Amino acid sequence: MIRHTAVGAVVSSLLVLAGPAQAEAADVISDYFNTWYTRVDQAQSTQPSWVTPLVTVTPRLEQEFRFDQTNQYQGTGAMVRSYGGGKGLELIPTATTEVVLNIPPYQVRSTVKPAQGFGDDPVLLVKQRLLSANAEQGDYIVTAFLGFQAPTGIKAFTNDAWLVTPTLAAGKGFGRFDVQGTVGIAFPMAHETTIGKAVATNLTLQYHVADYFWPELEVNDTYWSGGLRDGKNQVLLTPGIIFGRFPLGGHSKANFGFGYQFAVSPSLQREPALTPTLDHAWVFTGRVSF
């Protein structure tokens, strides 16, 4: 991996050749990249040290590359594998901000209505941390998110509409136990009479055992207002475990984990739209922070 200092030096050298004003701009850019890890360290030292749950998006600021996979079994009898899980590169450009650049999941549906191809891309997520304290100062955090999903998927896997999702996330630690949660609303920019607005609430109860074990239980609730699922409420439970953080050298650490997700409500309804959207699923995650 090219070091930030090297990138800054190259940019600085090129702009010096262009003139004094550009050279001054080059110094600013070079300084920004040279002090990148100073900001990362500041961000992470002033917030709780919990790991990111399997499903719930953590209110913490993280810098990592993440790859997820789910094997999802639907009430129709279909099985859908999702490679990548719509995850990707997470960066901390300021001490209170995270930018997440995701890649679209590659999905394979078998048994019923077979299809394979890319799904819609949750292309960008921006986190702005509002309040935080590390374990010595109170062990809490509050963060606002704004996410964008692009309709890039093939016909079988697309909403055919942009989704914009503002979210509020928070967490509190109590010694080795922590609670993390989010509440967000997905607004479709088209086809709202079909898609509807989805209010998603996620809650994670997590415990830290020894150095590297983080067992957890997640509750994922989705309520639809409008659209084909208007008035319906889906509740999923996900017991799981995260293993980490394993040092790889320097700033780099590795985490991985898995869990079993299953629907507890409502009872299976196939019309006018499949609800719940899954019966059960296996979830795997792998992350390398840096």
Side-chain angles (χ1 to χ4, degrees):
M1 182 177 67
I2 299 176
R3 296 178 61 87
H4 293 297
T5 52
V7 174
V10 170
V11 172
S12 179
S13 298
L14 291 174
L15 290 180
V16 163
L17 297 176
Q22 289 81 3
E24 185 176 346
D27 289 339
V28 173
I29 295 172
S30 179
D31 288 345
Y32 176 77
F33 282 102
N34 289 341
T35 58
W36 185 280
Y37 277 108
T38 300
R39 292 188 300 276
V40 172
D41 292 341
Q42 180 183 353
Q44 296 187 333
S45 66
T46 53
Q47 65 181 3
S49 59
W50 323 313
V51 300
T52 301
L54 279 169
V55 180
T56 303
V57 180
T58 182
R60 295 181 71 257
L61 305 185
E62 295 281 13
Q63 182 161 277
E64 63 186 10
F65 184 82
R66 176 173 174 175
F67 180 92
D68 287 5
Q69 179 175 335
T70 60
N71 292 351
Q72 184 183 103
Y73 298 83
Q74 299 178 333
T76 60
M79 199 270 272
V80 181
R81 292 185 177 91
S82 176
Y83 299 95
K87 306 300 181 181
L89 181 63
E90 306 180 22
L91 299 171
I92 301 177
T94 81
T96 61
T97 307
E98 178 184 335
V99 176
V100 185
L101 305 173
N102 291 315
I103 57 177
Y106 189 82
Q107 297 177 285
V108 179
R109 184 169 64 202
S110 58
T111 309
V112 177
K113 297 182 179 180
Q116 61 181 25
F118 287 102
D120 287 347
D121 184 7
V123 58
L124 177 65
L125 176 67
V126 179
K127 295 183 180 182
Q128 180 58 52
R129 199 175 67 190
L130 306 177
L131 299 169
S132 70
N134 59 26
E136 290 72 28
Q137 300 297 320
D139 215 18
Y140 61 83
I141 189 168
V142 179
T143 305
F145 305 164
L146 187 61
F148 301 88
Q149 179 171 290
T152 57
I154 66 170
K155 184 177 181 180
F157 301 128
T158 184
N159 283 316
D160 198 28
W162 281 86
L163 297 181
V164 178
T165 308
T167 301
L168 186 64
K172 180 71 176 77
F174 305 90
R176 287 185 169 269
F177 176 74
D178 69 81
V179 180
Q180 302 178 58
T182 66
V183 179
I185 306 177
F187 294 94
M189 298 294 99
H191 312 301
E192 185 173 340
T193 56
T194 301
I195 302 170
K197 293 185 287 291
V199 181
T201 303
N202 298 290
L203 181 68
T204 298
L205 308 177
Q206 191 177 73
Y207 192 77
H208 189 192
V209 180
D211 291 331
Y212 299 115
F213 305 97
W214 300 78
E216 62 173 42
L217 175 66
E218 300 192 45
V219 182
N220 317 109
D221 177 275
T222 304
Y223 172 80
W224 286 275
S225 175
L228 298 179
R229 295 188 177 93
D230 183 37
K232 290 183 169 59
N233 196 79
Q234 170 183 285
V235 179
L236 308 176
L237 296 183
T238 312
I241 186 169
I242 304 292
F243 302 91
R245 303 174 175 94
F246 299 103
L248 299 176
H251 279 81
S252 299
K253 295 180 174 62
N255 297 342
F256 67 94
F258 62 90
Y260 180 74
Q261 187 172 68
F262 58 96
V264 294
S265 73
S267 57
L268 178 62
Q269 301 169 40
R270 300 190 181 190
E271 300 295 338
L274 181 65
T275 312
T277 55
L278 63 87
D279 180 76
H280 64 280
W282 288 98
V283 183
F284 171 82
T285 186
R287 307 112 181 230
V288 176
S289 61
F290 57 93

